[in-house]
């Protein structure tokens, strides 16, 4: 700790940071543009000037840039000094000399950092009498809007896009006062993290195009804290609603998880909530097609179905909340509840749970991932299965060179100096993948091979680390030396990290990853093992039950069941179509609760409209093992409600086994007491009874508009709906200050209308939220001898007439819900089959030519695409709609489609 | 005694000038800045002036303005709907002060009585007038930096021609 004097008063600040960080942490307001808490200082904008004095006799002092000045013991600082203030006002005046007069039509208006900073410096009057500079804009794709006139040349966009997220199609062009930020030519931004430009840009150059299509100012959005449902990372989000429609997603800072950034799937996938594929009314199947009925009618019919006393089977879902899955389990009994995994998923997920629960390696939070000093990625294409994890891994890759640079005496926050010192060097980062991934550019070396070979490579590394493990036979020299190199790098690190997951579809890969992490634990390293799971609550579902749908089908075939209840699961995506059909046909009643219209909903006798994430409250468990509560953002006008509440209503109506639940907390508490692994579930967030000064927390801002006009035609304005499940009101009435971190509905602070107000919610700038980061970890590592897996898979051998088809995940298209988001649909790849260059030559197929893929009795015709990194004899099939092969990897036959008769 | 004084004063009032106006036969002349019925005006070229920036709604103390922004094919913002609930309006004029485009204006018309309350809910068609109202020359898009159909970058008032990004000149 260092003591510094600000305006003559003594403050204790942490060593090693810069003066701007220190002052912001202490609550002082200093304007800034180019400094960003995650990307640190550039010293480009000259806005954060303050005055420092040599000693108590120094009355003149000197102006310095606080973001590039380290704090020092006894430093005397003045923020309010008249000269410093005038300097800051001048800087803003210069920036404003070219800034256009278009705030009314700018989407950033009202949450603009430039507006805030201009207000803060007190600049109000334009003295500059000359013309304004203009730029032409670019088309940057369906997600981001470009308006270059508004640019203030702070360089944050390229520093994020290139430096932080590893993109290479956005850059600074031209010179002097013509500097331009954009692409070399029009076209969609390629980075899957492009949406963060909206929040990174301090003004309105990059704005959210999907939001523009139904634009609302920040103060009119009804918001609540939420958790992203589009992958297993569990990023914290702030969805905003207006007029009954979900309008946008913003990042919600959680220091342990996503930090400041989201991926584009999470940011723009929300449009599925507004899609025409939503199920909004209860539907009963009659003869042909369905008939929409009221809630009462549907419940009456269901009461007859389940009230007769027939046996009920329940199928949950890895994309449903823990509460919904638990309610299903209570309805059917633990024996007849299945979490709704496919056979393959069930095997992989059970293995992951076993590894997490019984091994000594800790599952890292993303903060720990960002802090890892050696990384091995084994078989997981994280950019496509868990994008924000990939972003964190990218930061971990910089830690090695960063450490070296810091030994030269450069502070970690001096971004430009660090970049100069590291010269793009790579840290100890090794990966193994079946095909080239987006993280290859940060890895020192990448091993390419089919899952079996990746597992063998992993086993070889584990053997290097622990001599008691079996030798992997038959490795070639190159692989063996790479394994030795990777093992040495991991061993040299203090916080090594192994990343793997279900994405490769191979249990052996997960076992190999576990062996490596456990072996590292055995040599006194605090090793982390991050195992990626695909959906938002895969782990939550697996902790309740991890048997697959194949087991459910077996049980159903053995008879005795009358009714099937499915919640938020499309079983046609997880079973072969015919098997799924047979399975559903084996029940006389099929009841499905979902919020989107899936094939399973279409096949149901009764379909009930469930609530999407923004319309209900619940708990999700991320693959880290972190239970996080998402809160209802708005109350839908119709009968959509959370699936667990439908189940409660169903049993009420039937009068069978009454689930005595009134509110969500009852379900959460019941789940926590019934299932020991979920014991800490209730600590994920404060309960619905939580009050601050006797008040609930307001979902609407104090400056919400239109309250007396929106529903004017009704004359008597109805009372806002009650929320029994959460400590929030659907109103502007309620607590507007800073609640505990899991309950922060939006970031705002007086004078700080933009997202930069996050600083005011943190204990220290860039550190944890006040009262701790949200969420509770359910699984901690055991202090035990590692239960190593000893079997290494047999080597892969390319077949003469067959190809190993490996799964390939795509960020847009491989996830069920974001697929329904119209803006993302345009970015979804068309189905293809990926071939290595050698195989394409062998098939005499050119890029784009139709290839017939036969596997498991199915035949698909797909255009060929050359995929880098694939080894001979291995082909990649993307996980996209239209590719109906459920279980991959699998063997298949490829053949060139016959050419049309010439 | 005081009663007689009062009667005398009343008698004198009979010869004073009348203050009462015989409304509706006679109508008072109100100054143009009188804060009466709210209208939405148009640009000199006849296009809607409102760019749906939501500032009037935010400034409104009784929250009686609601609207939704939309954009037409030319790049102009406009309100898809614009509603003022005059049964709640307090005619404070804050909306007019907040409006950056002079679109929303208060007029000296006060004859708005209705028999039914829903009739006091004015939609955009009820609010839009055909002229520029009190501010004849103002044309927001001429001074805003955004490009529209018919007004490219650099063609607005006080704007330089767009920067040539590929120029190497110092």
């Amino acid at each position: 700790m260092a003591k510094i004097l600000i305006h003559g008063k003594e403050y204790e600040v942490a060593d090693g940071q810069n003066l701007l960080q220190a002052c912001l942490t202490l609550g002082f307001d200093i304007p800034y543009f180019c400094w960003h808490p995650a990307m640190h200082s550039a010293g480009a904008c000259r806005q954060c000037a303050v005055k420092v004095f040599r000693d108590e006799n120094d009355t003149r002092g000197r102006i310095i840039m606080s973001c590039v000045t380290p704090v020092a013991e006894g430093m005397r600082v003045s923020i309010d000094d008249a000269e410093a203030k005038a300097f800051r006002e001048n800087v803003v005046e210069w920036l404003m000399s070219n800034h256009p007069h278009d705030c009314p039509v700018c989407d950033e208006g009202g949450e603009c950092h430039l507006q805030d900073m201009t207000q803060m410096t007190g600049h109000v009057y334009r003295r500059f009498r000359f013309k304004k500079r203009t730029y032409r804009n670019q088309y940057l794709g369906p997600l981001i809007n470009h308006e270059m006139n508004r640019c203030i040349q702070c360089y944050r966009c390229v520093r994020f896009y290139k430096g932080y997220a590893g993109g290479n199609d956005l850059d600074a062009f031209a010179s002097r006062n013509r500097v331009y930020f954009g692409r070399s030519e029009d076209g969609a931004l390629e980075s899957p993290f492009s949406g963060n430009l909206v929040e990174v840009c301090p003004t309105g150059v990059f704005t959210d195009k999907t939001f523009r299509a139904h634009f609302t100012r920040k103060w009119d959005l009804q918001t609540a804290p939420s958790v992203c449902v589009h992958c297993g990372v569990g990023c914290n989000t702030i969805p905003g609603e207006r007029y009954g429609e979900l309008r946008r997603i913003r990042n919600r800072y959680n220091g342990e998880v996503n930090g400041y950034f989201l991926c584009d799937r999470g940011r723009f996938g929300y449009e599925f909530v507004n899609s025409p594929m939503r199920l909004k009314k209860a539907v009963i199947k009659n003869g042909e097609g369905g008939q929409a009925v009221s809630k009462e009618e549907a419940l009456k019919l269901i009461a007859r179905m389940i009230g007769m006393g027939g046996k009920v089977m329940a199928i949950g879902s890895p994309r449903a909340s823990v509460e919904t899955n638990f309610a299903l389990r209570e309805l059917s009994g633990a024996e007849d509840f299945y979490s709704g995994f496919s056979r393959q998923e069930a095997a992989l997920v059970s293995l992951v749970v076993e590894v997490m629960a019984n091994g000594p390696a800790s599952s890292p939070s993303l903060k720990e991932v960002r802090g890892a000093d050696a990384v091995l990625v084994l078989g997981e294409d994280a950019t496509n299965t868990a994008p924000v994890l990939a972003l964190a891994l990218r930061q971990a890759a910089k830690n090695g060179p960063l450490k070296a640079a810091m030994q030269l005496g450069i502070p970690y926050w001096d971004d430009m100096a660090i970049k100069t010192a590291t010269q793009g060097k790579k840290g100890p980062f090794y990966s193994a993948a079946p095909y080239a991934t987006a993280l290859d550019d940060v890895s020192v070396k990448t091993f390419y091979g089919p899952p079996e070979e990746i597992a063998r490579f992993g086993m070889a590394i584990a053997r290097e680390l622990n001599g008691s493990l079996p030798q992997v036979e038959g490795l070639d020299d190159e692989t063996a030396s790479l394994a030795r190199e990777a093992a040495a790098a991991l061993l040299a690190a203090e916080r090594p990290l192994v990343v793997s997951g279900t994405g490769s579809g191979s249990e052996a890969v997960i076992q190999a990853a576990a062996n490596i992490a456990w072996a590292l634990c055995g040599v006194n390293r605090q090793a982390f093992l991050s195992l990626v799971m695909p959906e938002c609550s895969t782990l939550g579902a697996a902790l309740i039950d991890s048997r697959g749908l194949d087991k459910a089908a077996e049980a159903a075939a053995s008879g005795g069941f009358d009714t099937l209840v499915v919640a938020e699961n499309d079983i046609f995506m997880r079973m072969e179509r015919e098997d799924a059909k047979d399975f559903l046909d084996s029940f006389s009643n099929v009841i499905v609760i979902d919020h989107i219209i899936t094939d399973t909903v279409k096949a149901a006798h009764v379909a009930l409209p469930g609530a999407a994430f923004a319309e209900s409250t619940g708990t999700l468990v991320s693959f880290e093992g972190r239970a996080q509560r998402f809160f209802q953002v708005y109350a839908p006008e119709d009968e959509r409600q959370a699936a667990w509440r439908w189940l409660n209503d169903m049993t009420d109506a039937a009068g069978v086994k009454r689930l005595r639940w009134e509110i969500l907390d009852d379900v959460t508490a019941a789940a926590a007491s019934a299932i020991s692994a979920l014991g800490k579930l209730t600590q994920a967030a404060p309960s619905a009874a939580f009050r601050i000064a006797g008040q609930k927390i307001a979902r609407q801002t104090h400056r919400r508009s239109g309250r007396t006009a929106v529903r004017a035609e009704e004359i008597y304005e109805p009372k806002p709906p009650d929320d029994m499940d959460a400590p929030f009101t659907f109103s502007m009435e309620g607590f507007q200050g800073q609640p505990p971190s899991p309950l922060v509905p939006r970031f705002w602070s007086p004078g700080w209308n933009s997202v930069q107000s996050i600083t005011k919610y943190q204990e220290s700038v860039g550190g944890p939220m006040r009262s701790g980061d949200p969420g509770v970890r359910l699984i901690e590592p055991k202090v035990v001898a590692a239960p190593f897996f000893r079997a290494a898979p047999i080597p892969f051998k390319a077949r003469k007439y067959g190809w190993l088809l490996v799964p390939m995940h795509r960020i847009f298209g491989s996830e069920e819900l974001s697929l329904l988001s119209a803006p993302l649909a345009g970015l979804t790849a068309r189905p293809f089959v990926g071939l290595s260059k050698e195989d394409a030559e062998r098939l005499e197929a050119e890029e784009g030519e139709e290839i017939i893929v036969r596997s498991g009795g199915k035949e698909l015709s797909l255009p060929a695409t050359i995929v880098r990194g694939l080894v001979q004899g291995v082909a990649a099939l993307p996980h996209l709609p239209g590719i109906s092969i459920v279980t991959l990897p699998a063997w298949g036959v490829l053949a060139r489609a016959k050419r049309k008769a010439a | 005694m005081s009663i007689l004084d009062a009667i005398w004063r009343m008698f004198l009032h009979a010869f004073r000038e009348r203050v009462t106006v015989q409304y509706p036969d006679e109508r008072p002349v109100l100054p143009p800045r009188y804060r009466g019925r709210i209208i939405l005006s148009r640009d000199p070229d006849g296009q809607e002036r409102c760019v749906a920036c939501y500032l009037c709604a935010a400034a409104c103390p009784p929250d009686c303005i609601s609207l939704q922004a939309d954009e037409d094919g030319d790049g102009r913002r406009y309100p898809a709907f614009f509603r003022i609930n005059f049964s709640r309006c307090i005619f404070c004029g804050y909306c007019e002060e907040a409006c950056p485009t002079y679109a929303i204006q208060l007029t000296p018309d006060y004859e708005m009585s209705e028999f039914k309350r829903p009739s006091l809910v004015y939609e955009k068609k009820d609010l839009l007038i055909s002229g520029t109202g009190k501010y004849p020359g103002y044309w927001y898009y001429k001074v805003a930096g955004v490009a529209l159909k018919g007004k490219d970058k650099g063609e607005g008032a006080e704007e330089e021609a767009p920067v040539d990004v590929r120029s190497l000149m110092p």
Side-chain angles (χ1 to χ4, degrees), chain A residues 107 178 184 215 243 703 710, chain B residues 54 63 67 77 83 169:
Chain A
D107 292 353
R178 291 185 305 235
S184 58
F215 182 65
Y243 302 140
R703 193 48 271 166
V710 175
Chain B
Y54 294 98
D63 287 343
L67 66 150
R77 291 276 177 104
R83 173 189 291 168
M169 295 302 284

Side-chain angles (χ1 to χ4, degrees), chain A residues 351 355 459 506-516 518 789-791:
Chain A
L351 175 64
V355 167
M459 289 292 190
S506 158
E507 288 171 61
V509 170
I510 297 171
Q511 290 174 349
N515 272 4
I516 299 167
W518 291 343
F789 300 99
R790 297 201 173 261

Side-chain angles (χ1 to χ4, degrees), chain A residues 19 28 30 50 78 166 185 206 215 331 361 370 403 419 427 438 530 548-549 556 582 636 761 799 856 875:
Chain A
L19 189 56
F28 291 98
I30 300 179
V50 296
S78 173
E185 56 185 16
F206 300 99
F215 182 65
L331 177 76
R370 289 189 286 268
K403 205 154 70 179
K419 275 190 188 130
S530 188
L549 282 168
D582 291 345
Y761 288 74
R799 293 188 189 171

Side-chain angles (χ1 to χ4, degrees), chain A residues 14 38 57 110 230 327 402 434 449 464 481 488 529 611 672 674 851 854:
Chain A
N57 301 321
H230 299 293
L402 177 72
E464 292 290 332
S481 86
L529 175 61
I851 300 282
R854 290 191 195 86

Side-chain angles (χ1 to χ4, degrees), chain A residues 589-783:
Chain A
N589 309 306
V590 176
I591 303 166
V592 178
I593 311 167
D594 208 335
H595 46 83
I596 52 170
I597 300 170
T598 62
D599 288 348
T600 312
V601 166
K602 286 178 196 155
H605 297 115
V606 186
L608 300 171
F613 73 97
E615 298 151 357
S616 60
T617 302
T619 316
L620 301 175
V621 183
S622 72
F623 65 67
E624 179 205 338
R626 181 177 292 267
Q628 302 185 104
R629 186 85 27 92
F630 61 95
F631 290 96
Q632 188 173 0
V633 178
Y634 64 101
E637 299 270 300
D638 41 32
E639 285 158 352
R640 283 173 270 173
Q641 57 176 1
W644 68 264
R645 193 154 253 146
W646 274 117
L647 295 166
N648 210 28
D649 290 351
M650 274 159 55
T651 53
D652 265 3
V656 279
K657 199 163 33 173
R658 199 179 139 79
L659 310 175
R660 287 172 201 286
W661 298 325
E662 294 290 327
I663 60 169
L664 182 86
D665 287 331
D666 299 341
V667 195
T668 315
S673 64
I675 297 162
S676 63
L678 299 175
K680 285 190 262 182
L681 201 64
T682 51
Q683 297 166 27
S687 75
F690 178 83
R691 297 288 181 277
I692 296 181
Q695 286 182 304
K696 282 185 156 200
I697 298 152
R699 282 186 173 91
Q700 299 174 1
T701 67
H702 59 283
R703 193 48 271 166
R704 185 172 173 94
S705 74
R707 187 170 44 87
T708 63
V710 175
R711 318 190 70 148
E713 75 280 2
E714 292 170 41
I715 300 185
Y716 298 107
E717 283 158 26
K719 172 175 173 282
D722 280 325
D723 188 353
M724 295 186 289
D725 298 328
F728 289 98
T729 61
F730 292 108
S731 155
M732 60 207 282
E733 287 172 36
F735 183 72
Q736 292 279 6
Q738 277 195 24
S741 64
L743 302 179
V744 172
R746 72 193 77 87
F747 293 112
W748 182 85
S749 181
W752 296 78
N753 299 293
S754 75
V755 282
Q756 309 294 326
S757 55
I758 291 172
T759 304
K760 303 280 178 190
Y761 288 74
Q762 292 166 331
E763 227 154 69
S764 59
V765 168
M769 296 272 280
R770 288 198 183 138
S771 77
D773 284 317
V776 58
R777 279 168 63 94
L778 298 180
I779 304 172
E780 292 300 342
K782 296 247 173 3
V783 189

